[in-house]
Amino acid sequence: MSLFTLTIHELREMLARRQVSAVELTSDVLQRIEKVEDRVKAYITLDPESALKQAETADKELKEGTGGALCGIPLSIKDVLCTDGMRTTCGSRILENFVPPYDATSIAKLKEAGAVLLGKVAMDEFAMGSTSENCAFGPPRNPWNTEYICGGSSGGSAASVAADACIASLGTDTGGSIRQPASHCGVVGLKPTYGRVSRYGLVAFASSLDQVGPLTKDVTDCALMMNVISGYDAKDSTSVGQEVPDYRSTLTEGLHGMKVGIPREYFIKGLDPEVEKAVQHGIAILSEAGAETVEVSLPHTDYCVAVYYIVAPAEASSNLARYDGVRYGFRDKSSDTLLDMYKNSRSLGFGDEVKRRIIIGTYALSSGYYDAYYKKASKVRTLITEDFKKAFESCDVLASPVTPTPAWKLAEKIDDPLSVYLSDILTISANLAGIPSISVPCGFSSGGLPIGLQIQSSHFQEAKLLQAGYNLEQRLNISHLRPKNL
Amino acid sequence: MKITPEEISHVANLARLHMSQEEVEAMAHQLDDILTYVAKLNELDTESVTPTTHAISITNAFREDEVQPSLPRDKALANGPQQNGETFVVPRVI
């Protein structure tokens, strides 16, 4: 049996019973990475030596019985979360040599729980993208078919989990960046409620939308990761002090009494028939498990992409002003004046998509245009949030597709940014409203590419998402399937 | 909407980005496409709608004003592209 194929909950028991050591497990996963990495290309930075050292510490703790909830579990981390002493590039040339002097709070929590950090995985530059092709160090591939995109921006996270090149991963989601790659790679991905997980040490893209969350092999692992990373943090003034339940303890409850809303606007024109079929099958399974389905309406869905492509670039243009070649990151050393140094450092350091979004955001915030764009978008954002409030008066969760189509071929849409933006139409609203949302695998296309089912709920109801996802997963029984020929 | 290359050059300067004439022209087309798409927001009457500034309702997050340990200077300077052990060094300004 290969250890690398197993889940956190399976390995935790084996580690606790001393059937396997953390060093054996980490070595096994490192061998797996060596075998698949030249095809999957998930990792930007891999540190086997540090991983084995962490595993030795975990073994000591396991022996003494003091190990935390993730003791000895090897994880990959999206390269947007600061890791003390380990390079953090954000997929950008401008941070190619940046070594953070501190840990993000979510990383500190994983370490405290005993997790083994293998390295940092690829992503679209500064999390801007839906394919991971905007990574300055080359795109990761979809393990189910390496000619296809793995999704983005947490593409390296999803690809490394699907390829068994880690046991689980931590990603971030600003407009679908956990759920969309999870859907394309056939893994579970959860974007928590805004404020549920600390953003301290997460390199900011759009501060009112960003959230940190897990990508895992199954729903139980997702619950275990959420138990560790959730909670208030004094270092993030937008984190919320609401009590963190034990997300695993409610997974096995049936769905009797749960109302599942089907938002009619999410079954849009252009929805791939195979995606629709798999999602409808998933919804039928939720009904079999005892849930009642009701049709609901989210009338402003069609406006969410327009709102997002004002709000997110506006916040990004402000957040990315800090990359000026002074305190960290790339500096063009040939510039003689300060202004040239700023301009040349930024122009040489940032990639095309990042520059495009900085321009959109700067334009939308510039004098004379603020009311027409940013303020207008912020008002429509309120309407989108109110749609959800109304919908959740008649249901507990919403079920829908995650993406309109399965993954597409690498480079297929690289010259058409607007069409890629539009593919985020089903995931963006959750970020605008701050609600939690999960992607759970629900089937495959005829070409063998995974399809995910999206479940959304009102603020801080992650337990319901995980419960519905768990019931779906148990009845579908596909979470053990792995890419062939890898 | 018609975004001119001059407007892009102006915005690029505000954003401290250097762009070639070719890049400016390509960006003018792309921004034009995106803003034409975004104009669909004007279909909605939002006169009486309050803008969202925050996804969840929290008021000011206050904490005690206590001195906490901060990064030592050498660690804070360690990522600086040019520094002299005490400060970051930049091209002469005056």
Side-chain angles (χ1 to χ4, degrees), chain A residues 99 101 194 240 302-303 325-329 331 336 339 343 346-347 356 363 369 376 378-379 382 422, chain B residues 3 7 13 15-16 18 30 35 37 40-41 43-44 46 49-50 52 56 75 79-82 88-89 91:
Chain A
V99 179
Y194 185 83
V240 176
D302 199 30
Y303 298 96
V326 176
R327 290 150 301 158
Y328 40 71
R331 171 189 290 197
D336 296 332
L339 189 62
K343 285 189 175 179
R346 290 166 63 77
S347 303
R356 184 179 300 126
Y363 181 87
Y369 295 110
K376 181 76 185 182
S378 300
K379 286 180 163 196
T382 303
L422 288 169
Chain B
I3 305 291
E7 281 180 284
N13 181 50
R16 298 293 182 256
H18 174 79
Q30 287 170 352
L35 293 178
Y37 177 75
K40 72 189 286 170
L41 295 178
E43 294 164 10
L44 298 169
T46 53
V49 180
T50 313
T52 296
I56 45 165
K75 270 190 122 182
N79 278 289
Q82 207 184 332
F88 298 110
V89 177

Side-chain angles (χ1 to χ4, degrees), chain A residues 12 37 39 88 174 199 242 246 303 313 347 359 389 422:
Chain A
R12 249 166 50 115
E37 183 59 13
R39 278 160 295 152
T88 299
T174 304
R199 292 184 297 109
Q242 191 139 337
D246 176 2
Y303 298 96
S347 303
I359 295 286
K389 270 188 202 148
L422 288 169

Side-chain angles (χ1 to χ4, degrees), chain A residues 137-209:
Chain A
F137 311 104
R141 311 301 179 94
N142 193 316
W144 293 88
N145 184 334
T146 51
E147 285 175 18
Y148 282 72
I149 59 149
C150 57
S153 66
S154 308
S157 289
S160 60
V161 174
D164 291 313
C166 64
I167 303 302
S169 189
L170 204 58
T172 62
D173 190 314
T174 304
S177 281
I178 287 174
R179 292 159 287 158
Q180 187 255 24
S183 174
H184 285 330
C185 291
V187 302
V188 174
L190 173 68
K191 179 203 97 70
T193 307
Y194 185 83
R196 174 83 294 182
V197 179
S198 170
R199 292 184 297 109
Y200 179 75
L202 156 62
V203 178
F205 161 14
S207 307
S208 81
L209 306 167

Side-chain angles (χ1 to χ4, degrees), chain A residues 21-146:
Chain A
S21 75
V23 169
E24 283 166 339
L25 170 58
T26 299
S27 307
D28 196 56
V29 175
L30 286 169
Q31 275 174 32
R32 172 67 177 174
I33 295 170
E34 201 169 311
K35 177 159 182 274
V36 298
E37 183 59 13
D38 64 328
R39 278 160 295 152
V40 179
K41 301 180 193 301
Y43 283 86
I44 292 177
T45 303
L46 184 68
D47 192 344
E49 204 180 308
S50 156
L52 288 167
K53 222 176 263 173
Q54 296 170 63
E56 278 172 29
T57 309
D59 275 329
K60 262 181 225 147
E61 290 175 1
L62 286 161
K63 206 170 171 187
E64 291 160 6
T66 56
L70 297 174
C71 196
I73 303 293
L75 305 178
S76 75
I77 306 293
K78 187 179 184 181
D79 209 14
V80 72
L81 290 157
C82 285
T83 41
D84 192 355
M86 187 185 272
R87 185 169 79 124
T88 299
T89 71
C90 287
S92 181
R93 290 279 171 215
I94 212 162
L95 288 178
E96 188 168 1
N97 299 309
F98 176 64
V99 179
Y102 64 92
D103 277 324
T105 297
S106 52
I107 298 299
K109 287 187 174 209
L110 293 180
K111 286 184 176 174
E112 205 180 293
V116 171
L117 307 192
L118 297 161
K120 309 295 287 287
V121 281
M123 54 184 280
D124 287 298
E125 184 175 4
F126 286 102
M128 297 178 189
S130 310
T131 65
S132 296
E133 290 169 298
N134 300 330
C135 180
F137 311 104
R141 311 301 179 94
N142 193 316
W144 293 88
N145 184 334
T146 51

Side-chain angles (χ1 to χ4, degrees), chain A residues 286-421:
Chain A
L286 293 176
S287 301
E288 272 174 41
E292 183 193 333
T293 57
V294 289
E295 200 185 330
V296 297
S297 175
L298 299 165
H300 296 95
T301 300
D302 199 30
Y303 298 96
C304 71
V305 176
V307 171
Y308 181 83
Y309 279 97
I310 294 298
V311 172
E315 294 183 12
S317 70
S318 165
N319 276 325
L320 271 62
R322 72 192 62 177
Y323 304 102
D324 57 6
V326 176
R327 290 150 301 158
Y328 40 71
F330 171 77
R331 171 189 290 197
D332 173 48
K333 292 198 169 120
S334 69
S335 304
D336 296 332
T337 69
L338 189 63
L339 189 62
D340 277 347
M341 194 274 280
Y342 289 154
K343 285 189 175 179
N344 290 331
S345 300
R346 290 166 63 77
S347 303
L348 294 167
F350 290 138
D352 289 344
E353 181 62 26
V354 172
K355 286 184 203 166
R356 184 179 300 126
R357 298 212 197 181
I358 290 174
I359 295 286
I360 299 170
T362 307
Y363 181 87
L365 292 176
S366 63
S367 172
Y369 295 110
Y370 176 85
D371 279 3
Y373 293 108
Y374 191 75
K375 198 169 174 193
K376 181 76 185 182
S378 300
K379 286 180 163 196
V380 180
R381 185 175 179 184
T382 303
L383 297 176
I384 290 166
T385 306
E386 283 170 0
D387 282 355
F388 280 112
K389 270 188 202 148
K390 241 173 256 162
F392 288 126
E393 282 169 13
S394 59
C395 65
D396 300 293
V397 297
L398 297 166
S400 73
V402 182
T403 63
T405 66
W408 55 88
K409 276 198 168 164
L410 282 152
E412 194 178 309
K413 299 186 183 179
I414 216 151
D415 295 320
D416 190 1
L418 188 58
S419 100
V420 177
Y421 294 177

Side-chain angles (χ1 to χ4, degrees), chain A residues 105 192-202 204 206-212 230-242 315 381 434 459-460, chain B residues 53-63:
Chain A
T105 297
T193 307
Y194 185 83
R196 174 83 294 182
V197 179
S198 170
R199 292 184 297 109
Y200 179 75
L202 156 62
S207 307
S208 81
L209 306 167
D210 297 340
Q211 254 303 280
V212 180
S230 301
Y232 174 72
D233 176 17
K235 290 176 180 155
D236 173 5
S237 59
T238 61
S239 72
V240 176
Q242 191 139 337
E315 294 183 12
R381 185 175 179 184
H459 295 142
F460 298 104
Chain B
T53 52
H54 217 283
I56 45 165
S57 54
I58 42 174
T59 43
N60 287 341
F62 291 123
R63 59 172 168 75

